[in-house]
Amino acid sequence: MRIAMIGSGYVGLVSGACLADFGHVVTCVDRDPGRIAMLERGEIPIFEPGLEDIVESNVRQKRLFFTTDLPKAVAGADAVFIAVGTPSRRGDGHADLSYVYGAAAEIAKALTGYAVIVTKSTVPVGTGDEVERIVRELRPELQFDVVSNPEFLREGAAISDFKRPDRIVVGAETEDARDVMSEIYRPLFLNQSPILFTGRRTSELTKYAANAFLATKITFINEIADLCEKVGANVQDVARGIGLDKRIGSKFLHAGPGYGGSCFPKDTLALVRTAQEAGAPVQIVETVERVNKARKKAMAERVLAACGGSVQDKKVALLGLAFKPNTDDMRDAPSIDIVEALTKAGAKVHGFDPEAMEQAKLIMKDIAYEQDPYDCAAGADVLVIVTEWDAFRALDMLRIKETMKSPVVVDLRNIYRPQDMKRRGFTYTSIGRP
Ligand code: UGA
């Protein structure tokens, strides 16, 4: 199949590279000439384990191309994927669809024959209808179909999520469109990944429902963690105790500083807005959204409490800035709220992250960036673990203790054991554990 991928950001680049790896011929398009030039030089603009190798080998085998020339990529394609950003619209939280609709119009003008236009971007219910209307208006004579095919990959595990998905959801209204999509994903049926064909609107909603459910699961366990702290229970044991029930499942039950990233915060908000407008408010998700926002802000208070109520002129060392490990993505990262509150309270914040420091520097100007966890901790009044990078899981804590001003650790990801930390002489607080 000949595929054009419009948008070479996170989802576009990973999907394009993996589809090329399945044997399709894929051209990834981006309007940013700098990004395309980088990709053509074999440089990957994001940090994603395994992506560089797949891009390199498919470029070498002439199955993966990059261009800024959308019409050239689209002409003659069997399928054109739209994988552009759908950020929160300023002011009202609705998904901003201007990039999606802009791409639809450009695709319409460039198509030369029957093709399936596939929305991979996360888009609210009804977007496919509007894409179809835009294309039809510009090209009344053209044969085409519009399909919804949401992406469920996680940053940091994107390649394996794409190649071994729990399921593929395709919202298509015609047999021709279903045939093209089946052909595109055929290599995955061989792995027995289930493909679920639905109506287009159902598929669009499925994506939001999935993210909202996962965000709800995390927020639920975060609240249980707070309760554990009050009643002397252990949230990790509670999570295990409920997660072994197959109806609940053990994943996404790690209590922490609140979810962040490019998806959950914006997608929950967009679902809330869609549901309100449709007259069927999703009150659980409204609460999740509010509780999570407040939680991220409240994390700084734990640091203040660990420092005896004040961080004025104290050195706070933050380990981990990205919203989660194995990514350099800083979007809606809990570290941002924590740094803001601590700086306001008079702390001198120092930070270290294995991959996200360049991105962090663009957002957080008031902190000192350190070269490794040990430099970061040296002379600190408190060490705060914000992101659970593997590199932080087995630090030489005795070495850290020797160089810290006072041995205080706030572990927002529960990667150390309270009894071990106590034995090493730390004042240690974590999330939802006695
Ligand atoms: C999420 C979904 O997991 C993907 O399925 C989806 O495709 C993607 O959004 C998207 O819509 O594009 P992602 O944002 O990359 O993926 O990362 P997650 O691993 O889901 O983590 C999101 C946030 O939840 C992070 O801040 C993480 O630290 C937090 N989290 C996750 C917890 O606090 N506890 C958990 O148990 C799991």
Side-chain angles (χ1 to χ4, degrees):
M1 289 259 150
R2 281 198 52 191
I3 295 173
M5 184 67 65
I6 313 303
S8 302
Y10 213 98
V11 169
L13 191 53
V14 171
S15 309
C18 290
L19 289 171
D21 213 43
F22 291 167
H24 302 303
V25 176
V26 182
T27 306
C28 291
V29 181
D30 206 284
R31 59 159 59 155
D32 175 356
R35 178 171 278 253
I36 292 297
M38 254 183 110
L39 287 163
E40 281 183 323
R41 287 195 302 269
E43 294 165 25
I44 307 295
I46 49 173
F47 174 78
E48 179 62 40
L51 182 58
E52 194 169 348
D53 290 348
I54 294 200
V55 169
E56 189 271 321
S57 89
N58 284 282
V59 166
R60 189 161 29 82
Q61 294 175 67
K62 301 208 174 344
R63 285 197 301 261
L64 182 60
F65 302 89
F66 300 103
T67 183
T68 52
D69 187 346
L70 182 144
K72 198 169 137 216
V74 165
D78 300 295
V80 183
F81 283 76
I82 300 179
V84 297
T86 52
S88 272
R89 203 160 62 190
R90 212 182 275 257
D92 63 5
H94 269 297
D96 179 351
L97 297 172
S98 53
Y99 300 115
V100 173
Y101 295 150
E106 287 189 63
I107 293 164
K109 290 179 213 149
L111 280 172
T112 51
Y114 175 78
V116 177
I117 300 169
V118 189
T119 325
K120 213 168 223 337
S121 305
T122 300
V123 293
V125 180
T127 304
D129 302 356
E130 182 59 14
V131 167
E132 187 170 312
R133 197 195 57 75
I134 291 170
V135 178
R136 174 91 51 228
E137 196 171 289
L138 288 164
R139 295 287 303 279
E141 83 301 348
L142 187 74
Q143 298 282 318
F144 69 97
D145 282 303
V146 176
V147 160
S148 156
N149 171 221
E151 189 43 65
F152 298 102
L153 56 82
R154 290 161 302 165
E155 292 188 14
I159 306 292
S160 63
D161 281 354
F162 193 94
K163 291 192 153 187
R164 279 176 291 282
D166 287 346
R167 79 312 202 180
I168 302 147
V169 175
V170 173
E173 304 291 339
T174 70
E175 201 58 41
D176 286 347
R178 280 190 283 274
D179 288 347
V180 169
M181 296 306 288
S182 298
E183 190 52 31
I184 289 173
Y185 284 111
R186 197 168 45 84
L188 286 180
F189 309 160
L190 305 176
N191 292 347
Q192 308 209 316
S193 299
I195 183 160
L196 185 68
F197 285 108
T198 69
R200 198 164 59 202
R201 287 180 161 244
T202 303
S203 164
E204 289 168 340
L205 185 56
T206 303
K207 169 68 190 184
Y208 281 96
N211 274 2
F213 191 86
L214 293 170
T216 302
K217 211 172 167 188
I218 297 167
T219 306
F220 175 82
I221 203 67
N222 283 341
E223 288 204 314
I224 295 294
D226 289 351
L227 180 57
C228 284
E229 286 168 19
K230 297 284 184 211
V231 301
N234 182 325
V235 73
Q236 283 179 314
D237 292 342
V238 173
R240 202 168 143 72
I242 62 175
L244 284 168
D245 183 329
K246 289 198 184 65
R247 293 169 302 173
I248 297 174
S250 59
K251 305 238 171 85
F252 278 67
L253 283 179
H254 299 291
Y259 61 76
S262 61
C263 304
F264 289 172
K266 96 174 155 54
D267 293 349
T268 45
L269 198 57
L271 180 62
V272 162
R273 294 286 175 265
T274 302
Q276 279 168 350
E277 278 177 15
V282 281
Q283 295 176 53
I284 291 179
V285 186
E286 286 176 18
T287 306
V288 164
E289 209 268 323
R290 182 170 47 75
V291 168
N292 188 66
K293 228 187 215 158
R295 182 173 187 83
K296 289 200 282 185
K297 293 210 183 303
M299 287 301 115
E301 285 157 28
R302 289 171 181 255
V303 181
L304 258 95
C307 292
S310 168
V311 287
Q312 186 67 47
D313 296 325
K314 289 190 175 158
K315 175 175 172 181
V316 179
L318 293 193
L319 294 189
L321 303 169
F323 82 97
K324 65 175 212 173
N326 297 321
T327 178
D328 61 354
D329 201 331
M330 284 295 298
R331 284 176 285 181
D332 275 315
S335 65
I336 299 172
D337 292 283
I338 296 171
V339 167
E340 197 182 288
L342 291 176
T343 313
K344 219 169 168 184
K348 291 177 287 186
V349 181
H350 291 237
F352 169 74
D353 189 283
E355 293 293 338
M357 296 216 283
E358 290 310 311
Q359 295 299 322
K361 282 176 192 166
L362 302 174
I363 307 171
M364 303 190 291
K365 315 260 184 223
D366 294 337
I367 74 178
Y369 292 91
E370 302 289 354
Q371 282 319 301
D372 68 54
Y374 298 98
D375 285 348
C376 193
D381 295 275
V382 56
L383 180 74
V384 188
I385 299 168
V386 186
T387 315
E388 70 279 30
W389 283 92
D390 279 346
F392 302 153
R393 287 177 187 271
L395 292 170
D396 182 346
M397 278 298 174
L398 291 178
R399 179 175 159 201
I400 285 194
K401 191 179 147 215
E402 270 163 27
T403 64
M404 281 183 78
K405 197 162 163 204
S406 44
V408 180
V409 170
V410 179
D411 178 359
L412 300 179
R413 299 286 185 168
N414 290 351
I415 60 176
Y416 286 92
R417 294 201 305 195
Q419 60 271 37
D420 295 345
M421 294 300 278
K422 193 174 166 201
R423 194 165 31 79
R424 289 167 182 153
F426 283 95
T427 306
Y428 175 79
T429 35
S430 56
I431 299 281
R433 297 189 298 182

